[in-house]
């Protein structure tokens, strides 16, 4: 499978615990995005990387959230001291940087569904 | 701040019918617009991407149009099939280095 891979698929945790998700992008894609989606809503942008550099972070990303992309390959998203409001689907997407025509097709993973009890 | 609205929120049609999904955005200075499909509990699949200089894109039974000046896009699905049942999401980008902003989607059910 050469698509975007996310692990785990499901995570159930107790409030106050820390969780970490992993995303493996399509090989050689230089951009990697994290989005969060709750039921009945569209995905909300959290942060993105170009290679190993984190270029933008949403205001939604509180100081309890941290993302890394060491060596510009896989990425991890960590949530510390989880809250019930963190329950959502966390989606990862990867792409090539837009070409001169502005084409940038995002390929999404299947997501990690987080439930905070 | 860019905002994307999709109407209707849900749509149910009999198999074989042609249908139109609507998307509007508040800031017309977009870089491009994309339509995605999402099946329940799954990630998103890109369907069509329209650059700001383009008026439409076609792929098979799908046709997406863009009227940038009025801040609108439509996704036309011809001869709908039960396999088209999914949520369809519209997303816009304001520059090559800004992230996609999504609408809430239209949940489509095609009844056999």
């Amino acid at each position: 499978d050469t698509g975007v891979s996310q692990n785990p698929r499901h995570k159930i945790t107790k409030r106050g615990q820390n969780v970490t998700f992993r995303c493996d992008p399509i090989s050689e894609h230089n951009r990697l995005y994290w989005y969060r989606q709750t039921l009945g809503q569209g995905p909300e942008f959290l942060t993105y990387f170009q290679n190993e550099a984190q270029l933008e972070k949403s205001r939604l990303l509180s100081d309890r959230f941290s993302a890394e992309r060491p060596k510009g390959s896989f990425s991890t998203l960590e949530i510390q001291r989880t809250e019930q409001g963190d329950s959502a689907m966390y989606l990862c997407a990867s792409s090539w940087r837009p070409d001169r025509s502005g084409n940038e097709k995002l390929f999404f993973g299947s997501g990690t569904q987080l439930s905070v009890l | 701040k860019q905002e994307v609205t999709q109407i209707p929120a849900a749509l149910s049609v009999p198999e074989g019918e042609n249908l139109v999904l609507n998307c509007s955005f508040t800031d017309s200075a977009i870089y491009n617009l994309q339509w995605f499909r999402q099946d329940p509990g799954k990630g998103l699949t890109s369907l069509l991407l329209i650059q700001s200089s383009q008026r439409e894109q076609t792929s098979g039974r799908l046709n997406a149009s863009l009227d940038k000046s009025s801040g609108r896009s439509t996704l036309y699905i011809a001869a709908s099939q039960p396999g088209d049942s999914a949520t369809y999401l519209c997303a816009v980008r304001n520059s090559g280095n800004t992230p996609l902003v999504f609408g809430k989607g239209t949940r489509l059910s095609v009844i056999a």
Side-chain angles (χ1 to χ4, degrees):
Chain A
D1 186 7
T2 57
V4 177
S5 176
Q6 291 189 247
N7 288 288
R9 287 297 313 278
H10 304 274
K11 179 69 177 179
I12 300 174
T13 192
K14 293 182 179 179
R15 189 175 52 189
Q17 297 295 305
N18 299 342
V19 294
T20 300
F21 311 140
R22 177 176 170 128
C23 172
D24 287 274
I26 292 173
S27 179
E28 299 180 355
H29 274 186
N30 53 11
R31 282 192 171 182
L32 187 149
Y33 296 81
W34 285 100
Y35 281 83
R36 180 173 68 186
Q37 186 178 27
T38 53
L39 197 62
Q41 303 294 313
E44 295 176 300
F45 169 74
L46 294 178
T47 187
Y48 89 97
F49 295 83
Q50 183 156 302
N51 299 313
E52 65 275 10
Q54 189 172 18
L55 295 189
E56 187 170 343
K57 292 171 59 174
S58 165
R59 290 171 295 175
L60 293 174
L61 215 64
S62 75
D63 56 5
R64 296 184 299 105
F65 288 70
S66 62
E68 294 182 344
R69 194 185 181 197
K71 303 179 182 178
S73 55
F74 71 91
S75 176
T76 57
L77 177 68
E78 181 182 16
I79 308 175
Q80 296 182 327
R81 305 181 303 281
T82 52
E83 302 172 356
Q84 288 184 324
D86 297 331
S87 296
M89 173 79 85
Y90 289 82
L91 294 164
C92 174
S94 71
S95 70
W96 278 107
R97 179 181 178 180
D99 60 23
R100 290 182 181 178
S101 301
N103 290 319
E104 181 185 2
K105 188 174 181 180
L106 268 64
F107 294 82
F108 280 80
S110 297
T112 293
Q113 181 65 53
L114 173 66
S115 298
V116 182
L117 304 180
Chain B
K1 177 187 172 185
Q2 179 70 271
E3 292 183 0
V4 180
T5 302
Q6 291 188 245
I7 295 173
L11 180 64
S12 183
V13 300
E15 181 178 6
E17 199 164 286
N18 302 327
L19 59 100
V20 174
L21 308 181
N22 297 292
C23 171
S24 62
F25 43 94
T26 54
D27 183 352
S28 62
I30 65 169
Y31 186 69
N32 61 37
L33 181 145
Q34 285 187 254
W35 283 92
F36 292 86
R37 169 185 171 138
Q38 186 174 30
D39 293 287
K42 300 292 180 63
L44 283 68
T45 301
S46 179
L47 298 173
L48 291 164
L49 183 152
I50 310 177
Q51 297 300 334
S52 61
S53 58
Q54 297 175 326
R55 296 297 299 268
E56 65 177 355
Q57 284 286 332
T58 298
S59 176
R61 294 182 294 107
L62 305 180
N63 175 276
S65 68
L66 174 64
D67 184 344
K68 202 173 73 163
S69 61
S70 67
R72 294 180 181 177
S73 175
T74 60
L75 179 67
Y76 175 83
I77 302 178
S80 58
Q81 303 171 357
D84 295 331
S85 298
T87 296
Y88 290 82
L89 293 149
C90 170
V92 300
R93 187 191 293 269
N94 281 89
S95 77
N97 293 316
T98 56
L100 285 169
V101 176
F102 284 84
K104 293 182 179 182
T106 294
R107 190 172 68 254
L108 173 65
S109 297
V110 181
I111 310 302

